[in-house]
Amino acid sequence: MLSWEPSIMKLFKYSLFVVCAAAASSSNADQIRADDTVVQGNLCIGTDCIVNGEDFSNGALVLKENNLRIRWHDSTATAGGPVRQTFDGTYVDGEVGESWRLDANQSSNGSDNGLYISQMSVVDYPVYSDGSAPDYDCSDPFADPKPVIGPIPEGDPAEDPSQCLPYREFLQLNVLAMNGNLNGGVSLGIGAEIADGEVRLGNAELKRRLAHVARAISNSDVLIKEQLDQGLFQAQQIRLNEIEALMTMAENELEFLEQEVAPNGSSGSSGGGGAASWLLLLLPLATLKFRNRKTVA
């Protein structure tokens, strides 16, 4: 009997280990509930949540982590056509349209402070060089940073600077971007660039119209085309009124000259000839006067 005791103890320890491992793995497994879930208290999600000490005074739902994001994935949606996202020296070709993402600030230290709503690809895609991506020399595995030996040809896979291997990225095209700085900017629409102190709807190549805008009231409001056209019409009307006034003045001068010349002439025809002569003199003067007034205006 004594010779069996070591074997029984080994079997008991092994069984205890299996039970503990199974319990540990089950506690880390995903929990799926096929029913509604109601949380009557507050909720904090993220690895930085404080156990039994989280402050919920500013919100019942807290998302707390360095790289925490909210993502919507419509599994029934169909991706759109191919799109390209460009980076510094590289680009990614892929498809978006099935997934949206909300980012609050960027995760790496020193990155942008802002709010971003973007379309995101469901899968990642290879990153390619646009002809200027650096080609790293990884002959020395301890070199940091890796020296650059030249550019990678356009269309070839770009290299990860740490291991000199091709890498992949998800497409993420910003639809709305708001910079959180004091003089931060706003960009609306895919492809729109963001700049401090500006609201942009596109870029140098991509233009968009801002439609259904109310008429400007304050000095800092944006003028719409209707008001611009109306202002141009009013300016043209003022010019026409000036021309009409000059023509009226010229007619009055001609009538006066005819009255002055007619009694001194030998006949009515000579008076008419004198009036015609004065007309030839007055028209250039009237035209010159109008041009001068237009230049001053």
Side-chain angles (χ1 to χ4, degrees):
M1 292 294 294
L2 294 178
S3 61
W4 289 93
E5 287 183 2
S7 299
I8 294 176
M9 290 300 297
K10 289 182 179 180
L11 181 60
F12 174 76
K13 292 180 180 179
Y14 178 77
S15 300
L16 183 61
F17 172 78
V18 172
V19 171
C20 293
S25 61
S26 61
S27 63
N28 294 328
D30 295 339
Q31 298 181 9
I32 300 176
R33 293 179 59 87
D35 198 356
D36 297 336
T37 300
V38 177
V39 178
Q40 294 184 339
N42 302 315
L43 180 63
C44 182
I45 301 175
T47 57
D48 292 338
C49 292
I50 302 175
V51 179
N52 296 326
E54 189 62 47
D55 182 11
F56 291 98
S57 59
N58 294 322
L61 175 61
V62 177
L63 307 179
K64 194 173 182 181
E65 191 175 325
N66 178 47
N67 195 24
L68 191 63
R69 305 290 180 251
I70 298 178
R71 184 173 181 182
W72 296 266
H73 180 194
D74 186 354
S75 58
T76 62
T78 302
V83 295
R84 172 172 292 187
Q85 184 175 8
T86 58
F87 303 96
D88 186 13
T90 61
Y91 66 89
V92 177
D93 289 329
E95 295 180 340
V96 296
E98 302 170 271
S99 176
W100 290 79
R101 175 167 155 166
L102 174 64
D103 289 24
N105 297 337
Q106 295 182 342
S107 59
S108 57
N109 292 332
S111 296
D112 291 338
N113 170 25
L115 180 69
Y116 308 88
I117 299 178
S118 57
Q119 283 195 347
M120 190 170 184
S121 62
V122 178
V123 298
D124 56 0
Y125 296 96
V127 180
Y128 296 100
S129 170
D130 65 0
S132 62
D135 186 6
Y136 298 100
D137 181 8
C138 289
S139 58
D140 182 3
F142 301 102
D144 186 24
K146 299 290 191 297
V148 177
I149 59 178
I152 298 177
E154 182 178 359
D156 287 355
E159 293 180 355
D160 179 0
S162 60
Q163 299 181 351
C164 300
L165 297 176
Y167 64 101
R168 304 169 70 91
E169 291 282 358
F170 286 90
L171 275 171
Q172 188 170 353
L173 306 177
N174 291 334
V175 178
L176 169 65
M178 295 185 295
N179 194 293
N181 298 329
L182 182 61
N183 191 35
V186 177
S187 67
L188 295 172
I190 292 178
E193 299 175 345
I194 188 169
D196 288 344
E198 298 180 1
V199 177
R200 296 189 177 187
L201 305 180
N203 54 49
E205 292 78 24
L206 175 63
K207 311 294 183 182
R208 292 186 174 95
R209 292 189 304 113
L210 188 62
H212 303 296
V213 180
R215 295 170 61 88
I217 299 177
S218 302
N219 293 333
S220 59
D221 291 350
V222 177
L223 285 174
I224 61 175
K225 186 176 183 298
E226 177 186 0
Q227 291 176 290
L228 293 174
D229 291 344
Q230 184 179 3
L232 180 61
F233 173 77
Q234 290 176 348
Q236 292 175 345
Q237 187 63 43
I238 292 174
R239 297 292 183 268
L240 291 175
N241 293 338
E242 291 177 348
I243 295 174
E244 186 177 357
L246 289 172
M247 295 301 295
T248 301
M249 182 178 65
E251 290 177 357
N252 294 335
E253 292 289 340
L254 287 174
E255 291 178 0
F256 175 77
L257 290 173
E258 286 179 349
Q259 294 174 1
E260 292 291 327
V261 174
N264 299 327
S266 58
S267 64
S269 61
S270 63
S277 300
W278 281 105
L279 177 62
L280 293 176
L281 292 174
L282 284 174
L283 284 179
L285 292 175
T287 304
L288 179 61
K289 185 175 182 181
F290 170 71
R291 288 181 178 177
N292 291 337
R293 293 186 63 181
K294 184 176 181 181
T295 302
V296 173

